[in-house]
Amino acid sequence: MGRHYSRAERIADGLVHAIGLALAMGACAALAALALPAADALRMAALVIYAGGLVTMLGCSAAYNLMPEGDWKGIFRRLDHAAIFLMIAGTYTPFTLVAIGGAWGWSLFGVVWAGALAGAMLKLVWPHRFERLSIAVYLLLGWVILLALGPMFANMSLQAIVLLGVGGLLYSLGVLFHLWERLKFQNAVWHAFVLAAAACHYVAVVSEVALAA
């Protein structure tokens, strides 16, 4: 289940989660305010899915990582790991359905969501199996968008593409700290990388999808 964290480490991780949840809820409210005046039904649905995936992931992570040992912690561990898959697919949704669109966008949407739902089910049913494989699948799903580089450059701004790339790199680099369990404050550092990556993707969603309505 992981190593024992000191009180200072738990406080640091708690602060990271509290800041992340507060910022995410405020950011999602701002996203709705920006998109509502002119957004069509597909755009709004994509943004709702994105916001739901982001808040669900951060909420489940906070519940699992800050909860004391006990039966409920094991349950939230399953939810936390499953929610990562939903966040990945949710982040893809506004870009695939709105920014890229067409056959490429819808195909990528289907592939990512199929993989994410299968991964989430795996983590809910067999939470302690295939741990390393799950990390590889997280990364694979996160980077599968590279298959659509051509459609991305044809339909998206360079700014959004760069933000998506930087966010992906931050997530990937953060995984190194997630695995580096001997490092002091390792969990807080890992979750800080998650927040930084999510912030990059949020700015891309705002500029490329919400404000493009």
Side-chain angles (χ1 to χ4, degrees):
M1 295 294 289
R3 71 171 176 83
H4 173 74
Y5 293 101
S6 68
R7 184 171 182 271
E9 287 176 300
R10 290 179 62 83
I11 290 174
D13 198 31
L15 287 173
V16 172
H17 277 95
I19 292 170
L21 272 174
L23 289 176
M25 289 187 287
C28 289
L31 191 64
L34 289 171
L36 274 175
D40 53 84
L42 179 62
R43 192 181 306 268
M44 279 307 303
L47 292 174
V48 167
I49 292 171
Y50 160 72
L54 177 63
V55 173
T56 298
M57 184 271 292
L58 292 174
C60 288
S61 178
Y64 165 57
N65 284 282
L66 303 181
M67 184 172 289
E69 293 297 332
D71 292 338
W72 279 101
K73 191 173 182 69
I75 293 172
F76 275 98
R77 181 181 188 274
R78 299 185 185 208
L79 295 175
D80 173 37
H81 292 184
I84 296 173
F85 281 108
L86 300 184
M87 181 274 297
I88 293 171
T91 302
Y92 265 93
T93 299
F95 298 106
T96 54
L97 298 189
V98 180
I100 299 175
W104 263 106
W106 280 96
S107 297
L108 195 57
F109 171 82
V111 167
V112 171
W113 269 103
L117 291 175
M121 185 61 64
L122 182 69
K123 299 307 294 184
L124 290 173
V125 177
W126 295 293
H128 301 294
R129 295 186 185 179
F130 316 114
E131 293 286 352
R132 300 290 180 173
L133 177 61
S134 297
I135 294 174
V137 175
Y138 290 140
L139 292 171
L140 179 63
L141 278 179
W143 287 106
V144 75
I145 198 168
L146 292 177
L147 296 175
L149 273 180
M152 285 173 63
F153 277 101
N155 295 283
M156 295 172 57
S157 68
L158 180 60
Q159 172 186 306
I161 294 172
V162 169
L163 284 167
L164 286 178
V166 171
L169 288 173
L170 287 171
Y171 276 125
S172 300
L173 182 59
V175 169
L176 299 178
F177 291 94
H178 170 63
L179 297 173
W180 192 359
E181 294 190 350
R182 292 177 178 269
L183 179 69
K184 194 75 170 176
F185 295 98
Q186 159 259 347
N187 222 28
V189 172
W190 151 236
H191 290 127
F193 269 90
V194 169
L195 293 185
C200 290
H201 288 169
Y202 174 80
V203 175
V205 169
V206 170
S207 64
E208 198 70 18
V209 180
L211 293 181

